[in-house]
Amino acid sequence: MTLRKDHPSYLKIEKLKELRIKKLLIQLLDVNLKGTEHKLNITKDFRAEIINDGKWVTEYIRTTIVKHNWEVSRQRNWQIKDFEPELILEVEENEI
């Protein structure tokens, strides 16, 4: 009997989640928050927290972090069909 974690579709979903989170982090840090003067903490479940040392945080930064955290948390129960086709193709190409 195979365990669920050994099943190919489980492994594929885990790779898809990992790749999507990596792309979301790059989007957050290198595009959306580039040049900001605030410290961010990325938790072990890849959610972003702002470290505010008494500095004023703009609404744009707060909204960007909320959107990032929402994107990360909404993929927890996704199936393969819920991921972007580009990510699925990228994972399938790396499996070969």
Side-chain angles (χ1 to χ4, degrees):
M1 180 174 168
T2 61
L3 298 175
R4 182 167 191 245
K5 291 185 177 185
D6 294 333
H7 198 272
S9 63
Y10 177 83
L11 297 173
K12 188 174 187 178
I13 287 176
E14 289 302 310
K15 287 180 183 178
L16 284 167
K17 287 180 181 180
E18 180 182 321
L19 185 60
R20 186 166 187 273
I21 285 174
K22 183 188 285 186
K23 290 186 184 234
L24 286 173
L25 283 173
I26 290 171
Q27 177 75 21
L28 176 71
L29 299 174
D30 291 344
V31 177
N32 295 337
L33 296 180
K34 186 174 185 176
T36 59
E37 295 288 328
H38 297 283
K39 295 179 184 177
L40 285 177
N41 180 34
I42 305 298
T43 63
K44 61 183 171 185
D45 63 344
F46 301 103
R47 297 174 58 106
E49 298 174 341
I50 192 154
I51 300 171
N52 188 359
D53 298 330
K55 296 179 182 174
W56 186 68
V57 178
T58 65
E59 189 64 27
Y60 171 75
I61 294 171
R62 192 178 312 274
T63 304
T64 302
I65 291 173
V66 168
K67 286 179 182 178
H68 169 80
N69 290 341
W70 179 76
E71 285 289 335
V72 168
S73 64
R74 80 179 184 128
Q75 81 175 13
R76 283 189 189 135
N77 296 322
W78 277 12
Q79 297 176 352
I80 293 175
K81 66 180 180 170
D82 299 323
F83 288 92
E84 294 88 1
E86 300 85 30
L87 288 177
I88 295 172
L89 285 173
E90 191 172 333
V91 167
E92 288 175 347
E93 287 174 358
N94 290 336
E95 285 179 350
I96 298 176

